[in-house]
Amino acid sequence: MVAATEELPLAKALNAGLRAALAADDRVLLMGEDIGTLGGVFRVTEGLQAEFGTNRVIDTPLAESGIVGSAIGLAMRGYRPVCEIQFDGFIYPAFDQITSQLAKFTARTAGAVPMPVVIRVPYGGHIGAVEHHQESPEAYFAHTAGLRVVSPSTPNDGYWMIQEAIASNDPVMFFEPKSRYWPKGPVDFALSAAPLHSTRVVRTGTDVTVIGHGAMVANLLQAAQVAADEGISIEVLDLRSLSPVDYGPILRSVEKTGRLVVCQEATGFASVGSEIAATVAERAFYSLESPVLRVSGFDTPYPASKIESFYLPDADRVLEAVDRALAF
Amino acid sequence: MKLAPTQKHEVSHVAEVSPAVQFLSIDGEFAPNEAAEEYLPYLQELDEADHRRFYTDMAVTRRFDEECTNLQRQGQMGLWPPSHGQEAAQVGSARAARAQDVIFPSYREHAVALVRGVDIVDIVKVMRGVSMGGWDATDPANGNFRNYCLVIGSQTLHATGYATGVRFDGAYATGNAESDIAVMAYFGDGATSQGDVSEAFVFSASGQNPQVFFLQNNHWAISVPVTTQSRTPLYLRAQGFGIPSVQIDGNDVLASYAASRKHLDDARAGGGPQLIEALTYRIGAHTTSDDPTRYQTPEQLAYWVARDPIIRFETYLRSQGADDAFFDEVHTQAEDFSADLRRRTLELGAPPLSTIFDNAYSEAHPVIDEQKAWLQAYESSLAEGA
Ligand SMILES: Cc1ncc(C[n+]2csc(CCOP(=O)(O)OP(=O)(O)O)c2C)c(N)n1
Ligand SMILES: [Mg+2]
């Protein structure tokens, strides 16, 4: 028996969630590069091959299209594959299999062939990595009908959301903020978390609403703390689900604060943040005291890592936008 | 679905199937095997000075590679993929390429970079995160050594397209080996599983391109053994695509030179694409963030350490009369080279913020201009506020 609550880093919480899913249903499989003997380059699958065997936790050949494409076949055969893509920038060889195949099978077969496939993707910057190891490609997948897209920001969400994603009969893109793999946080093993596709209020406030997902949430909380010292009350929302977006808490918050700043590491053009900004403008127009503002990575390739901190929006950049929102 | 279990103790399932081209026995004795015979004429082009240059290239690479591993451990680089153990495969093939040849590397070909004239600090810049691409591959000083490619296998298609262009331009098969171009792509055993690599084989064979695929089978793709990638010796796979291929002892610098020389020249003369599988071993970690003790047995490592390409060649050179004075001189040269590299690494500052925007496009772009101006104004407002 595990204690009801434990302090764990996100990587270990995900590991516990995957272990629980493997133990609960023997049709659940993990597949990916270096996930077995090595336990994954981030050790998220550490020990799972030893525990469940090489037919449940599979070190695949080195081909992302092969991983996702064969996961589709496994799903047709009644398995529930959980694929690991080693890094964000290596998902593109699988793009056809994800967007044209995985995303569309349910519709193409009039619902006869569901696709309970999860694709785990460590993503995002802040770790001083070389190119292709720090990208935030989530908008491509949120843009693709047929996929569900989520991103946990805390160890507790990691533990629960991975199990909810595996339980879903739809394909779920599961974006793991890799810079958050190591900080510890409480994981409540007893209490089931919020539903997979729900936005959560993580700090209440009255002046401005800020929203983000993944590693951005820590920046938002830091910004809210700094603002509080200056007498500005920020409400912080953790998006958690990028598709579908749970608009209820967002609209309720904006009705209260009248101001919204949407934050993301990804490039801003045609992004998830753009979609949220547009929807809030449509649905909460009369509540808004200022335009919805976006804070994003610049619309450039990710730069050399020594200057990534100038590319990635930090708490200061969030506060700069908060000030602009308040100036209206 | 049933995958065969990982075969941890298997050393080289391929070498037993076909004797790889070998000139130097693992004890450094000149004893060409049968497969090596047709390559002998290519060795006769070499003199003692060439041999000594090969040795120096390998020894200098071994030393700076170790220095870079240390620098990374000391926090001076984000990452370093060591070439330790693969020096013979790289130096032999790089020395076989002619000046006009064009090289498409993966990310571990430090010895090839050295031979082609790339300043190694430019590789460090990429791994340190101060430059996106490192060197200007269009500058003749860099020996037609294109930029590193981290997305596994992708460069094999770029090489194929480049070779297609060479073919369209008629820049090969004119009968002049000093100007006819051949293109060489380096890639690993893991890369062979990528669709891109199979597509490169298909396109190249279809067009009968002047190119050589140089496959370094170092037996691992991070923690995954080559047996997971292929149940057939990898060089045989090329033949299914209609690409003539050969397997060589990649830890024998003479085998690497002679095979590369022949197949590059065959390709440049219009013989179509060729593939060389060099059997070698990654003695070090995959990168500095890897821990091979999790998947590699000590016996396996010992087997390959005993086949060290540099020690083997040293033994051979000594049997040919090279004395301590020569090896001392190389040692000093390697020490000086890596000391200079360390010094210049520590001097590397962060790039200007404008580099975030400057080359996102080659022509003016309104979004880029606007965001660049915004960041400039934002940074100066922070500076004023501070
Ligand atoms: C498309 C893609 N998928 C995954 C990775 C992560 N990765 C980096 S190196 C590597 C193993 C490569 O093995 P191999 O091709 O044998 O080359 P080696 O590293 O042994 O030189 C993997 C899986 C990557 N860089 N690109
Ligand atoms: Mg390899």
Side-chain angles (χ1 to χ4, degrees), chain A residues 31 33-34 37-39 41 43 46 54-55 58-64 74 79 86 89-90 93 128 130-133 297-307 310-311 314 316-317 320 324, chain B residues 1-3 6 8 78-79 126-132 148 150-152 190-191 193-194 221-224 228-229 290-291 294-295 350-353 355-357 360 367-368 371 374-375 378-379:
Chain A
M31 51 199 292
E33 296 156 9
D34 304 288
T37 318
L38 188 65
V41 296
R43 307 292 185 259
E46 177 141 49
T54 50
N55 285 350
I58 303 159
D59 269 329
T60 65
L62 205 179
E64 289 74 14
L74 280 158
Y79 285 90
Q86 200 163 79
F90 305 138
V130 291
E131 58 180 350
H132 315 299
H133 294 73
F298 297 111
D299 291 302
T300 66
Y302 201 94
S305 65
K306 273 281 186 288
I307 50 174
F310 296 92
Y311 173 89
D314 58 4
D316 280 335
R317 288 247 293 268
E320 189 271 347
R324 274 190 287 139
Chain B
M1 170 155 168
K2 197 160 160 57
L3 278 188
T6 307
K8 272 201 171 173
L79 186 84
V126 175
M127 305 300 168
R128 190 177 163 87
V130 303
S131 166
M132 289 176 74
Y148 273 180
L150 266 51
V151 181
I152 299 296
S193 292
Q194 286 286 3
I222 309 187
S223 70
V224 179
T228 297
Q229 315 294 345
D290 178 35
D291 173 13
R294 285 173 170 257
Y295 52 82
L353 297 189
T355 59
I356 296 174
F357 306 96
V367 173
I368 296 291
Q371 294 186 357
W374 184 89
L375 181 60
Y378 174 72
E379 286 302 319

Side-chain angles (χ1 to χ4, degrees), chain B residues 224-245:
Chain B
V224 179
V226 62
T227 44
T228 297
Q229 315 294 345
S230 185
R231 286 279 149 194
T232 179
L234 283 166
Y235 80 101
L236 286 182
R237 198 185 283 174
Q239 294 177 13
F241 289 89
I243 297 177
S245 63

Side-chain angles (χ1 to χ4, degrees), chain A residues 18 29 31 64-65 67-69 71-72 80-88 90-92 94-99 101-103 115-123 141 147-152 162 165-166 170-176:
Chain A
L18 289 168
L29 305 177
M31 51 199 292
E64 289 74 14
S65 181
I67 293 169
V68 177
I72 289 171
R80 307 184 81 84
V82 182
C83 305
E84 175 177 302
I85 300 294
Q86 200 163 79
F87 282 91
D88 36 59
F90 305 138
I91 198 168
Y92 306 110
F95 204 71
D96 169 66
Q97 289 294 347
I98 297 172
T99 58
Q101 312 302 330
L102 183 62
M115 280 289 134
V117 176
V118 176
I119 301 182
R120 297 181 35 240
V121 191
Y123 81 112
F141 304 99
L147 301 175
R148 297 173 181 270
V149 185
V150 302
S151 179
I162 190 65
I166 293 169
D170 286 326
V172 179
M173 302 298 298
F174 196 87
F175 283 94
E176 301 171 4

